[in-house]
Amino acid sequence: MSRLLGLAVAFWLAPALAWADDPNPPPDKSGYTVFNPVPDDQLRSLCTDRPTKSTSPCTVDAGHWQVESDVYNYTQQSSDGVTTTTQLFTNPTLKLGLTNNLDVEVNIAPYEQVSAHDKTSGVTTNSRGVGDLFLKAKLNLLGDDGGAVAFALEPYVKIPTAPVGVGNGAVEEGILAPIQLSLPVNWQLVIDPEYDELANAVGHGQHSNISGLLSFGYPVTKTVTVSLEVWGDANFDPLGEVKQASFDLGAAWIPAKAPNFQLDGGVNLGLNRATPGAQAYLGVSRRF
């Protein structure tokens, strides 16, 4: 954590040093807040945390809000003769820009359905209900208004609102530190380290969970961007360590005549037995 905070301070100081010699520095929007919104003609290009698993370091402009949601999300995983299917029927994240580089975010799935089929016994169990509630805050420390590098910190806490079978009934928390780099020939790279404190599968207490990804984005046209991503996760539960990995593909379309709207979709392919074999989704985002 101390190293992460030191890195955050370095990134916070970097733009001031760089812009001191920049003949065309970005506009000063520090005076805008949730009570004094950024004018529409000064809004940044629409930036979302979807598709794929990556989280972008960008925030929502001050005084504006944004919704990002799965329209439908399907996941299937097979392990030890049991096939588990999870379906999300919308999964909205609501974001509100408080300042030029800080927003708050709320995420909850109104309805989830989890089905587990045991091939040996032939028994299928079903669980359904609202998902868990996630509360987040994203603080951009560099590159919110442009530049070759962007960096942010995003702590979160999970409130257990889901019923048994859909959620684990435990409060959990973590922090993400997304970094975005501009690469040659219009490629963008997002590096997304994450640290979580998760509830133990058995008994009380928590354990560490570490995940990260490399996500490459490329604008194939002026309105369509594709993403290629490799993701990994290591869960250090006392009951037994679990490692997951996936290769993810995504595409997003922002219509030329509707710059505040995005339609996207993707598929995530598991790379080992501990990871869901396939996950597919369609989603939509809208800034207001």
Side-chain angles (χ1 to χ4, degrees):
M1 180 61 72
S2 61
R3 293 180 180 179
L4 189 60
L5 290 175
L7 183 63
V9 171
F11 272 103
W12 179 69
L13 292 174
L17 298 175
W19 293 343
D21 298 324
D22 188 349
N24 297 301
D28 181 10
K29 298 193 293 183
S30 59
Y32 295 113
T33 68
V34 65
F35 303 109
N36 180 29
V38 174
D40 289 348
D41 62 356
Q42 294 187 40
L43 290 176
R44 295 185 279 263
S45 297
L46 181 64
C47 181
T48 67
D49 290 331
R50 53 176 309 118
T52 72
K53 298 184 180 76
S54 63
T55 295
S56 300
C58 57
T59 63
V60 179
D61 289 273
H64 294 262
W65 63 282
Q66 191 164 299
V67 58
E68 304 174 15
S69 179
D70 289 319
V71 175
Y72 178 70
N73 187 309
Y74 177 91
T75 304
Q76 187 175 82
Q77 181 173 13
S78 296
S79 178
D80 299 326
V82 178
T83 299
T84 302
T85 300
T86 303
Q87 299 180 78
L88 303 181
F89 301 91
T90 74
N91 182 26
T93 295
L94 298 178
K95 302 180 177 182
L96 175 63
L98 299 183
T99 70
N100 189 52
N101 65 334
L102 174 66
D103 67 31
V104 290
E105 308 176 6
V106 178
N107 166 252
I108 189 169
Y111 183 77
E112 294 187 33
Q113 181 174 301
V114 181
S115 300
H117 177 70
D118 190 321
K119 294 181 180 180
T120 302
S121 64
V123 175
T124 299
T125 58
N126 295 292
S127 302
R128 56 181 61 88
V130 66
D132 287 319
L133 173 66
F134 291 83
L135 305 177
K136 309 176 183 180
K138 185 188 292 186
L139 175 65
N140 178 279
L141 299 169
L142 177 65
D144 225 357
D145 288 300
V149 181
F151 174 71
L153 295 175
E154 184 175 39
Y156 77 87
V157 61
K158 187 203 79 176
I159 309 299
T161 54
V164 176
V166 175
N168 62 0
V171 174
E172 296 174 330
E173 59 279 330
I175 185 169
L176 296 84
I179 304 168
Q180 182 169 312
L181 305 172
S182 295
L183 303 180
V185 203
N186 292 326
W187 283 90
Q188 295 286 330
L189 169 63
V190 173
I191 305 168
D192 216 351
E194 177 177 349
Y195 176 80
D196 313 291
E197 284 287 332
L198 304 183
N200 293 338
V202 176
H204 301 288
Q206 290 185 313
H207 62 273
S208 298
N209 185 89
I210 298 173
S211 63
L213 58 80
L214 297 176
S215 182
F216 295 89
Y218 183 77
V220 293
T221 71
K222 292 183 178 180
T223 61
V224 176
T225 299
V226 296
S227 300
L228 310 173
E229 179 178 278
V230 178
W231 170 84
D233 182 274
N235 188 317
F236 302 100
D237 193 294
L239 197 63
E241 181 179 331
V242 177
K243 293 183 178 180
Q244 295 183 308
S246 69
F247 176 67
D248 311 327
L249 299 169
W253 173 55
I254 300 177
K257 295 184 178 181
N260 293 315
F261 174 82
Q262 175 179 289
L263 184 65
D264 63 66
V267 59
N268 305 329
L269 305 174
L271 298 179
N272 64 7
R273 291 187 177 182
T275 309
Q279 180 180 43
Y281 58 88
L282 291 173
V284 64
S285 300
R286 179 71 164 87
R287 178 173 59 189
F288 299 88

